[in-house]
Each structure stands twice: as C-alpha cells, then as structure tokens.
Amino acid sequence: MKLTVVGMGMGAESGMTGQAHQAIEQAGLILGAERMLNAVSFGRGKKVRAVKPAQIAQALAENPERPACVVCSGDTGFYSLADSLRRSLPDWEIETVAGISTVQYLAAKLGRSWQQVHLVSAHGVLCDPVGQVLCARETFFLTGGAGSAEDILRSLCEAGLGDAQVAVGQKLSYPDEQIVQATAAELLDRPFLPLAAVWVTRTDHARPEHFTPGLPDEQFCRGPVPMTKQLVRAAISSLLAPGGEDVLWDVGAGTGSVSVEMALSSPRCKVYAVEKNPEACCLIEQNRKQFGAYNLKICPGSAPQVLAELPAPDKVFIGGADGQLEEIMRLVLCKNAAAVLVASAITLESTAALNALGKKLREQGLLCEYQLVQLAVSEMEPLGRYHRFKPQNPIVLFRAKGAGR
C-alpha cells in the first residue's frame, strides 16, 4: 500500500531529476494527467489517465500492477496533488519525490531570487489579483482554468497598476518555451495559453508596508472638501475593525481619508467609496494613488441608489447620508443581515436621529446591538509664553451589528 508521487518539473524529460527518472522507471503502474503521461515515454509501467484523487483511488483499485506512482507537474510541495492524495488515501503510505517548481524554473530563467516572492495559485480557483499583488513587492501566480494571465493583467490595469512590471512564461522547459517581459498595460491585449506563469513586480512605492490607523491629516490631499480628522479616523477603525477579505463601504466618502485607511488595513479587502461630489471624487482618486490604495474603488453618485449595484458589505461607514440614513441602513442590512455599521454625527439632531433609528431597527429585529460614543478631542497650542488645549468639535460615533448570521 505504498504510492509514490513524483514531481516531474515543467514536463519536459530534460527537466526531471534523477530520482524522478528512477521512480518512474521502476513503477509498474503510472497514473497522471495526459500531458504528464506523454512525457514519460521511458517508463515501462502501465499508464492510466487519472487526475483527481477519486480517479486515482479507483485506478489503484482496478489495476494491481505495482509499484504504483502518480506523476504530476512541478514540485510535490508547491500547490501539488500530493496534499489531497494524503487526505483521500489515508490507508496508503505516500512517498514524494521532489521536482523543480514553476517558480524555481522561471526565477532561474529571469535571473532572480524568489525567497521574498508572494506565491499564489490561480490554477482552477478564483483569486483577487489586485489584493494578492498588494501583499508584496513581487508576486508569482500559477494560472489555469478559472484564473488566466489575461484576467490578472486586466485586473491590474483596471485598478491603476498598469505600470507594474510583468513576466509571463508559457510552455516552460519545452522547445517552444516563451517568456515575455513588459508592463501590465503593454501586455494587456496579448493572448496567453491557459497554463502560464505570471511574475508581477510593483513599481509604485506609495503603499506603506506597515500601517497604523490614524494617518496624519497633512498626508492627505484635502481641498475644500470636509475630511474626517486623524484621531476620529482611528476611533472609526477601532469600531469597524476592517481587515482580511472584508468588503467595505464608505458612504459619503468626502476626501476618502476613511476609505484609504480601510484599504490599507488589508491588501485583500475591497473598499467602495461612494461620493456624489465630483470635486471630492477627484480628491479620493488623488489620495488613492498617493497611498497606493489600489484595492479602493470610487463609486460616483448618491446613496442609496449607487449602493444597490455594489457587492454585499461586511462593514460600512456612513459619513454622510443626506437625509437617507434609514434607507441606507436598511439596504445594507438587506444585502448582509450581519453587517457592522458605523455612522458619525456632529449635531444634537443627528445624534438623536441615530439613537432613535438604532432603537427602531433593534426593536424590529434587524440589529442585535447598537451603541453611541462621544469623542471630545483637544489639541495643545501655544498661547503667548504658555500653552493651552484647543478643543475640536465633539463627534458622536454610532456602531451597530446586524442581527443576522
């Protein structure tokens, strides 16, 4: 009950290790995808096409030839079939033979090291290329099936990362191997094979590697548009707790200072800044570029109309509602009954309205909890030979949690 999983490298026989050759030559049964089986002409064992773990288990049961091996591309430890075989065949002893992975091969061809590269599989699975690229200066993608090189390039260009340097390798190790290098924008309209390796190097240096909520006000482009101040932004972030792969809305985004901090909280979150003022939208775009917040999308228009087209949010900040607060909150909770909502108020009337709405929605079973917090911030300023604290306008923050699960 022993099965050897052999990493064959890129596929061409010349790229296989001596240990891989030996395992294949000694095997009485060789299982794998058709492309891999075609590359082992030197093997004398019976070849059976089997790709998925269930197919391999069935083939092992129906074919008594031994020893048995499964041949797979690349290395057995890099997004390999080996892991799923261990789970699917618990009664079998799985031995693995290392191969040359795609990232190793392409790094050598490009003359680069790869120990700092962010490694991502878009092979047969959906992924967020922009979020992955924002995780590191260099990102490597395996593509195929649900994710393609064209999808990655298109996503980068749409997000504003068209200047990123990209290397795409296809048919690696074969005589007609192709490796092209250019910017994402330059490669955008070029067709690539479904199986390709994509290496992205970001050229922008705007996005901070380490982010702490409450960026200094002077770092933002402001103009005549109101902006949520530094310490208030930090408090909003604390109440929202954005991160991970959250979908976040900033309704009435103004200069986009809250939107930017949402986007910087995690490269894999998706932020939608909703703003009806065209001048404010221009400022949001400037701040988006200034901080490298490419996972932030600007949505011009008024709420709640614009919100209907957006994906369901996990967390929402409402900085401006234009009298549509209840409609906005109900739409949020309709899209995600468990969403977290944070809203701000600076007048007694708007504070009373938030409190009344929170009570109403909780009584209707839409909210499981809500709270109001007042922030009163004073900053030191000189007063002749002395100093005093100059108070800012108090602000009230409303936080609520939807009653859904």
Side-chain angles (χ1 to χ4, degrees):
M1 300 292 284
K2 180 179 178 180
L3 178 66
T4 303
V5 182
V6 180
M8 294 176 56
M10 299 302 93
E13 184 178 341
S14 60
M16 299 179 199
T17 66
Q19 190 178 11
H21 266 273
Q22 183 179 7
I24 293 168
E25 287 174 345
Q26 293 176 352
L29 178 64
I30 306 171
L31 309 174
E34 188 172 353
R35 182 172 75 91
M36 297 294 102
L37 295 177
N38 291 339
V40 294
S41 56
F42 57 90
R44 297 187 297 273
K46 180 180 179 180
K47 298 181 180 66
V48 177
R49 184 183 180 280
V51 180
K52 297 181 179 180
Q55 295 172 336
I56 291 171
Q58 183 177 351
L60 289 170
E62 294 175 351
N63 297 275
E65 292 85 359
R66 299 291 183 269
C69 79
V70 175
V71 289
C72 56
S73 62
D75 176 58
T76 54
F78 185 60
Y79 296 111
S80 169
L81 182 64
D83 279 344
S84 55
L85 284 177
R86 291 189 185 95
R87 294 190 296 269
S88 302
L89 301 172
D91 297 329
W92 286 74
E93 178 188 350
I94 307 292
E95 180 181 341
T96 53
V97 175
I100 298 173
S101 68
T102 312
V103 64
Q104 287 176 291
Y105 185 93
L106 186 57
K109 284 288 185 175
L110 297 174
R112 304 178 187 176
S113 60
W114 60 277
Q115 66 264 22
Q116 300 298 325
V117 176
H118 178 52
L119 306 176
V120 181
S121 175
H123 182 80
V125 295
L126 294 173
C127 80
D128 172 21
V130 174
Q132 297 294 349
V133 165
L134 293 179
C135 287
R137 187 63 56 193
E138 297 183 85
T139 305
F140 173 88
F141 293 89
L142 283 175
T143 72
S148 68
E150 289 96 327
D151 293 333
I152 294 169
L153 294 168
R154 187 182 309 109
S155 296
L156 294 179
C157 291
E158 289 176 352
L161 288 164
D163 290 337
Q165 292 293 320
V166 180
V168 181
Q170 52 189 7
K171 297 184 178 180
L172 297 177
S173 82
Y174 292 96
D176 52 350
E177 169 182 288
Q178 295 177 349
I179 299 176
V180 296
Q181 299 184 68
T183 66
E186 291 167 341
L187 294 175
L188 181 58
D189 296 323
R190 184 163 180 165
F192 293 100
L193 295 174
L195 293 175
V198 181
W199 190 307
V200 181
T201 303
R202 280 173 41 217
T203 55
D204 72 287
H205 298 277
R207 190 180 185 92
E209 292 186 12
H210 305 286
F211 165 69
T212 301
L215 293 169
D217 293 341
E218 58 270 17
Q219 291 186 10
F220 290 91
C221 302
R222 299 179 62 173
V225 178
M227 185 182 79
T228 303
K229 297 293 176 38
Q230 177 182 8
L231 297 179
V232 177
R233 267 184 277 116
I236 291 168
S237 182
S238 175
L239 293 174
L240 274 177
E245 297 182 358
D246 283 341
V247 174
L248 301 147
W249 293 358
D250 181 6
V251 182
T255 61
S257 61
V258 173
S259 300
V260 165
E261 295 209 1
M262 285 177 169
L264 295 181
S265 68
S266 169
R268 296 187 303 280
C269 70
K270 295 180 180 179
V271 180
Y272 297 87
V274 178
E275 176 56 55
K276 69 175 184 179
N277 182 347
E279 189 173 8
C281 288
C282 292
L283 286 171
I284 298 171
E285 178 61 26
Q286 292 177 42
N287 286 318
R288 176 180 177 274
K289 291 180 178 178
Q290 181 157 312
F291 289 94
Y294 296 106
N295 50 332
L296 189 168
K297 182 177 181 180
I298 303 169
C299 304
S302 299
Q305 292 81 4
V306 174
L307 306 179
E309 305 300 322
L310 300 184
D314 298 294
K315 294 162 186 177
V316 177
F317 173 64
I318 304 172
D322 285 340
Q324 304 294 310
L325 184 63
E326 182 169 352
E327 291 81 353
I328 292 171
M329 286 194 179
R330 287 187 181 277
L331 188 147
V332 169
L333 295 171
C334 180
K335 280 182 170 278
N336 178 8
V340 173
L341 301 104
V342 173
S344 60
I346 59 174
T347 67
L348 292 174
E349 290 77 10
S350 55
T351 300
L354 278 173
N355 186 49
L357 182 56
K359 182 179 179 181
K360 178 180 178 180
L361 295 179
R362 188 175 61 182
E363 289 175 348
Q364 292 176 356
L366 295 176
L367 298 179
C368 63
E369 61 181 61
Y370 83 94
Q371 65 176 143
L372 293 170
V373 177
Q374 185 185 63
L375 301 179
V377 177
S378 298
E379 292 184 313
M380 186 177 72
E381 69 170 11
L383 181 65
R385 294 185 299 113
Y386 302 95
H387 292 81
R388 69 170 183 177
F389 281 105
K390 181 180 179 181
Q392 297 179 7
N393 289 331
I395 187 168
V396 172
L397 295 179
F398 166 96
R399 183 191 185 276
K401 174 75 168 61
R405 294 185 179 180

